[in-house]
Amino acid sequence: MKQTLYIFPTCIGNLIYKKLIPEVKNFLEKRGYRTEILKKPFCCGQVFYNSGKIESAKEIAHQLNNLWKNKKILFFSGSCLEYVIKKIPELTEKSTEFTAIEITDFFTKEKLIPVLPEYHVSCHFKTLKKDTPEFLTCCGFGGIFSAIYPEISEKILKTKFSDKEIISIEPGCSFHMQSKGFKTKHPLENVFDKK
Protein backbone atom coordinates (compact mmCIF):
# COMPACT_ATOMS: atom_id res chain seq x y z
CA MET A 1 0.00 0.00 0.00
CA LYS A 2 1.27 3.47 -0.91
CA GLN A 3 2.13 6.05 1.73
CA THR A 4 -0.82 8.19 2.85
CA LEU A 5 -0.83 11.62 1.23
CA TYR A 6 -2.08 14.54 3.27
CA ILE A 7 -3.61 17.33 1.19
CA PHE A 8 -3.12 20.81 2.67
CA PRO A 9 -5.56 23.14 0.89
CA THR A 10 -4.26 26.31 2.65
CA CYS A 11 -6.53 29.10 3.88
CA ILE A 12 -7.07 30.82 0.51
CA GLY A 13 -7.03 27.47 -1.31
CA ASN A 14 -10.04 26.45 0.78
CA LEU A 15 -11.90 29.45 -0.64
CA ILE A 16 -11.14 29.17 -4.34
CA TYR A 17 -10.53 25.43 -4.86
CA LYS A 18 -13.69 24.07 -3.18
CA LYS A 19 -14.53 21.86 -6.15
CA LEU A 20 -10.95 20.96 -7.13
CA ILE A 21 -9.76 19.71 -3.72
CA PRO A 22 -12.19 16.74 -3.47
CA GLU A 23 -11.61 15.99 -7.16
CA VAL A 24 -7.88 15.66 -6.50
CA LYS A 25 -8.58 13.39 -3.52
CA ASN A 26 -10.87 11.12 -5.60
CA PHE A 27 -8.43 11.06 -8.53
CA LEU A 28 -5.56 9.94 -6.28
CA GLU A 29 -7.62 7.32 -4.44
CA LYS A 30 -8.72 5.74 -7.73
CA ARG A 31 -5.02 5.28 -8.47
CA GLY A 32 -4.27 3.49 -5.20
CA TYR A 33 -3.16 6.38 -3.00
CA ARG A 34 -4.57 6.78 0.49
CA THR A 35 -5.41 10.44 1.05
CA GLU A 36 -6.63 12.73 3.75
CA ILE A 37 -7.60 16.39 3.44
CA LEU A 38 -6.13 18.33 6.34
CA LYS A 39 -8.81 20.46 7.97
CA LYS A 40 -6.60 21.68 10.81
CA PRO A 41 -4.38 23.59 11.00
CA PHE A 42 -6.08 25.94 8.61
CA CYS A 43 -3.06 28.25 8.05
CA CYS A 44 0.69 27.74 7.63
CA GLY A 45 1.44 30.87 9.67
CA GLN A 46 2.96 32.94 6.88
CA VAL A 47 0.51 35.82 7.31
CA PHE A 48 1.56 36.18 10.97
CA TYR A 49 5.26 36.10 10.10
CA ASN A 50 4.86 38.66 7.31
CA SER A 51 2.84 40.91 9.66
CA GLY A 52 5.65 40.88 12.22
CA LYS A 53 3.77 38.64 14.69
CA ILE A 54 6.76 36.36 15.14
CA GLU A 55 5.65 34.72 18.39
CA SER A 56 2.37 33.61 16.78
CA ALA A 57 4.31 32.36 13.74
CA LYS A 58 6.65 30.40 16.04
CA GLU A 59 3.73 28.78 17.84
CA ILE A 60 2.17 27.67 14.55
CA ALA A 61 5.54 26.43 13.24
CA HIS A 62 6.00 24.18 16.31
CA GLN A 63 2.42 22.88 15.96
CA LEU A 64 2.89 22.07 12.26
CA ASN A 65 6.21 20.32 12.80
CA ASN A 66 4.62 18.10 15.46
CA LEU A 67 1.27 17.49 13.71
CA TRP A 68 2.88 16.69 10.38
CA LYS A 69 5.69 14.50 11.72
CA ASN A 70 6.58 11.69 9.26
CA LYS A 71 3.77 12.73 6.87
CA LYS A 72 3.89 13.55 3.18
CA ILE A 73 2.04 16.84 2.65
CA LEU A 74 0.72 17.97 -0.74
CA PHE A 75 0.44 21.76 -0.78
CA PHE A 76 -2.10 23.71 -2.81
CA SER A 77 0.15 26.77 -2.50
CA GLY A 78 3.76 27.13 -3.57
CA SER A 79 4.07 30.23 -1.43
CA CYS A 80 2.99 28.36 1.72
CA LEU A 81 5.27 25.47 0.77
CA GLU A 82 8.26 27.78 0.41
CA TYR A 83 7.40 29.38 3.74
CA VAL A 84 7.24 26.13 5.74
CA ILE A 85 10.38 24.71 4.11
CA LYS A 86 12.40 27.82 4.92
CA LYS A 87 10.78 29.22 8.05
CA ILE A 88 9.87 26.18 10.17
CA PRO A 89 13.56 25.33 10.71
CA GLU A 90 14.29 28.99 11.46
CA LEU A 91 11.39 29.46 13.88
CA THR A 92 11.61 26.10 15.67
CA GLU A 93 15.40 25.66 15.50
CA LYS A 94 14.66 22.12 14.28
CA SER A 95 14.64 20.56 10.85
CA THR A 96 11.27 19.86 9.26
CA GLU A 97 10.00 16.41 10.27
CA PHE A 98 7.74 15.95 7.26
CA THR A 99 7.98 15.78 3.46
CA ALA A 100 6.34 18.59 1.53
CA ILE A 101 5.65 19.02 -2.19
CA GLU A 102 3.46 21.32 -4.28
CA ILE A 103 0.48 19.38 -5.64
CA THR A 104 1.10 20.08 -9.33
CA ASP A 105 4.73 19.01 -8.97
CA PHE A 106 3.59 15.79 -7.30
CA PHE A 107 1.20 14.99 -10.17
CA THR A 108 3.95 15.69 -12.71
CA LYS A 109 6.66 13.68 -10.91
CA GLU A 110 4.35 10.71 -10.43
CA LYS A 111 3.38 10.92 -14.15
CA LEU A 112 -0.30 11.12 -13.23
CA ILE A 113 -1.03 13.77 -15.85
CA PRO A 114 0.21 14.81 -19.29
CA VAL A 115 2.53 17.77 -19.73
CA LEU A 116 0.85 20.85 -18.31
CA PRO A 117 0.55 24.23 -20.01
CA GLU A 118 2.78 27.05 -18.77
CA TYR A 119 1.37 28.48 -15.57
CA HIS A 120 1.89 31.30 -13.11
CA VAL A 121 3.74 30.59 -9.85
CA SER A 122 4.17 32.90 -6.87
CA CYS A 123 7.37 34.87 -6.39
CA HIS A 124 8.05 32.89 -3.18
CA PHE A 125 7.65 29.53 -4.89
CA LYS A 126 9.89 30.68 -7.73
CA THR A 127 12.80 30.62 -5.28
CA LEU A 128 12.29 26.83 -4.98
CA LYS A 129 11.49 26.20 -8.67
CA LYS A 130 14.70 27.03 -10.47
CA ASP A 131 13.27 25.89 -13.82
CA THR A 132 10.50 28.52 -13.84
CA PRO A 133 10.44 30.55 -17.09
CA GLU A 134 11.62 34.11 -16.55
CA PHE A 135 8.44 35.69 -17.97
CA LEU A 136 6.34 34.20 -15.16
CA THR A 137 6.90 37.10 -12.82
CA CYS A 138 5.13 38.95 -10.04
CA CYS A 139 1.38 39.51 -10.38
CA GLY A 140 1.34 42.26 -7.73
CA PHE A 141 -0.30 40.22 -4.97
CA GLY A 142 2.51 39.87 -2.44
CA GLY A 143 0.05 39.03 0.34
CA ILE A 144 -0.11 42.06 2.60
CA PHE A 145 1.53 44.21 -0.10
CA SER A 146 -1.66 44.23 -2.20
CA ALA A 147 -3.67 45.41 0.81
CA ILE A 148 -1.23 48.19 1.77
CA TYR A 149 -0.46 49.36 -1.77
CA PRO A 150 -3.58 48.46 -3.83
CA GLU A 151 -2.92 50.94 -6.66
CA ILE A 152 0.67 49.74 -7.21
CA SER A 153 -0.44 46.13 -6.90
CA GLU A 154 -3.13 46.55 -9.57
CA LYS A 155 -0.71 48.35 -11.89
CA ILE A 156 1.79 45.49 -11.63
CA LEU A 157 -0.93 42.95 -12.42
CA LYS A 158 -2.27 44.81 -15.45
CA THR A 159 1.25 45.48 -16.76
CA LYS A 160 2.24 41.81 -16.57
CA PHE A 161 -0.94 40.18 -17.87
CA SER A 162 -3.11 41.03 -20.84
CA ASP A 163 -4.97 37.70 -21.13
CA LYS A 164 -8.26 37.61 -19.29
CA GLU A 165 -7.77 33.95 -18.31
CA ILE A 166 -4.62 33.02 -16.43
CA ILE A 167 -3.44 29.52 -15.52
CA SER A 168 -2.09 29.76 -11.96
CA ILE A 169 -1.14 27.29 -9.25
CA GLU A 170 -1.11 29.92 -6.54
CA PRO A 171 -4.38 30.55 -4.65
CA GLY A 172 -3.29 33.93 -3.27
CA CYS A 173 -2.27 35.18 -6.71
CA SER A 174 -5.45 33.74 -8.24
CA PHE A 175 -7.59 35.43 -5.58
CA HIS A 176 -5.86 38.74 -6.34
CA MET A 177 -6.29 38.32 -10.10
CA GLN A 178 -9.98 37.43 -9.73
CA SER A 179 -10.57 40.52 -7.59
CA LYS A 180 -9.29 42.62 -10.52
CA GLY A 181 -11.56 41.01 -13.11
CA PHE A 182 -9.29 38.26 -14.42
CA LYS A 183 -10.44 34.66 -14.73
CA THR A 184 -8.05 32.09 -13.30
CA LYS A 185 -7.80 28.35 -13.52
CA HIS A 186 -5.60 25.84 -11.74
CA PRO A 187 -3.77 23.63 -14.28
CA LEU A 188 -5.23 20.50 -12.66
CA GLU A 189 -8.73 21.80 -13.42
CA ASN A 190 -7.93 21.37 -17.13
CA VAL A 191 -7.10 17.72 -16.45
CA PHE A 192 -10.38 17.02 -14.63
CA ASP A 193 -12.46 19.02 -17.13
CA LYS A 194 -11.35 16.60 -19.86
CA LYS A 195 -12.36 13.47 -17.92
Side-chain angles (χ1 to χ4, degrees), residues 105-123:
D105 280 352
F106 176 80
F107 269 67
T108 303
K109 286 174 184 172
E110 293 289 311
K111 297 184 170 61
L112 295 169
I113 48 174
V115 176
L116 292 170
E118 291 174 336
Y119 52 82
H120 172 77
V121 301
S122 68
C123 298

Side-chain angles (χ1 to χ4, degrees), residues 43-180:
C43 174
C44 68
Q46 182 174 182
V47 69
F48 294 98
Y49 185 90
N50 292 347
S51 301
K53 297 178 179 176
I54 305 303
E55 289 309 309
S56 296
K58 277 185 183 177
E59 186 179 332
I60 292 169
H62 282 287
Q63 287 174 358
L64 294 180
N65 217 19
N66 292 329
L67 284 170
W68 293 350
K69 189 172 183 177
N70 301 323
K71 292 179 179 172
K72 185 163 190 171
I73 315 292
L74 306 184
F75 277 71
F76 258 98
S77 165
S79 180
C80 295
L81 172 65
E82 185 263 357
Y83 172 79
V84 300
I85 287 172
K86 292 184 176 178
K87 296 302 179 186
I88 283 183
E90 176 189 314
L91 294 168
T92 64
E93 298 179 353
K94 295 178 181 178
S95 59
T96 52
E97 299 192 37
F98 54 88
T99 306
I101 186 169
E102 190 274 324
I103 196 122
T104 312
D105 280 352
F106 176 80
F107 269 67
T108 303
K109 286 174 184 172
E110 293 289 311
K111 297 184 170 61
L112 295 169
I113 48 174
V115 176
L116 292 170
E118 291 174 336
Y119 52 82
H120 172 77
V121 301
S122 68
C123 298
H124 287 133
F125 190 38
K126 193 173 178 182
T127 66
L128 299 179
K129 271 181 91 65
K130 303 303 180 190
D131 59 339
T132 305
E134 203 51 46
F135 71 86
L136 294 174
T137 53
C138 181
C139 68
F141 175 57
I144 295 166
F145 176 85
S146 63
I148 299 172
Y149 304 105
E151 296 85 5
I152 298 171
S153 173
E154 185 169 357
K155 189 169 184 181
I156 292 169
L157 173 64
K158 291 186 174 172
T159 301
K160 301 290 182 182
F161 299 98
S162 56
D163 296 340
K164 278 298 179 181
E165 180 168 292
I166 302 164
I167 306 294
S168 171
I169 64 165
E170 193 58 47
C173 298
S174 295
F175 186 76
H176 170 60
M177 293 169 187
Q178 289 172 14
S179 75
K180 304 303 178 191

